Amino acid sequence: MKIEDKIRRVRLRKGITQNQIAEKIGISQPTYAQWENGKRKPKLETLKKIADALEVPVSTLYDDYEFVDPGEGLTEDQKAKQKAHDQEQLKVIKKFYSRDKLLHNFNAVN
């Protein structure tokens, strides 16, 4: 499932509108809609903001896992461990995005 599909799916399951998410992360609704429609890709920092606004681990939006409410049945210690895990995963994703961007730029020049 693509990131935009996961974002939409989680948002709908949470019962949140595009306007509400856009407000929470400080952008316009049309910009947010472009991310959900796959017309634009959010930057990693923005993806983190979206995950925070949806109150899910950022890994929910890019891993191949089914959505599970992260607060359901977790202790504060488990939530802290999940957050630390998410931060490590974000570093990995940044590395891949950087590599893909470099490859794209290299291929565009050649």
Side-chain angles (χ1 to χ4, degrees), residues 10-45:
V10 172
R11 180 183 61 77
L12 293 172
R13 283 189 177 184
K14 292 275 188 171
I16 301 171
T17 67
Q18 287 186 351
N19 279 329
Q20 289 170 319
I21 293 292
E23 266 184 41
K24 283 185 176 187
I25 62 176
I27 59 160
S28 69
Q29 183 276 332
T31 298
Y32 177 83
Q34 288 179 343
W35 295 331
E36 242 188 49
N37 295 328
K39 292 181 180 175
R40 293 179 62 196
K41 298 288 182 197
K43 294 179 181 178
L44 290 174
E45 292 79 16

Side-chain angles (χ1 to χ4, degrees), residues 76-105:
E76 290 304 315
D77 185 53
Q78 290 169 322
K79 289 178 186 178
K81 287 179 182 177
Q82 181 64 49
K83 185 174 183 175
H85 170 76
D86 287 348
Q87 289 171 342
E88 287 300 313
Q89 291 297 312
L90 193 56
K91 288 178 188 176
V92 172
I93 291 173
K94 284 181 180 181
K95 188 182 289 185
F96 282 112
Y97 266 119
S98 296
R99 185 193 68 184
D100 288 346
K101 189 173 184 178
L102 286 172
L103 286 174
H104 175 73
N105 290 342

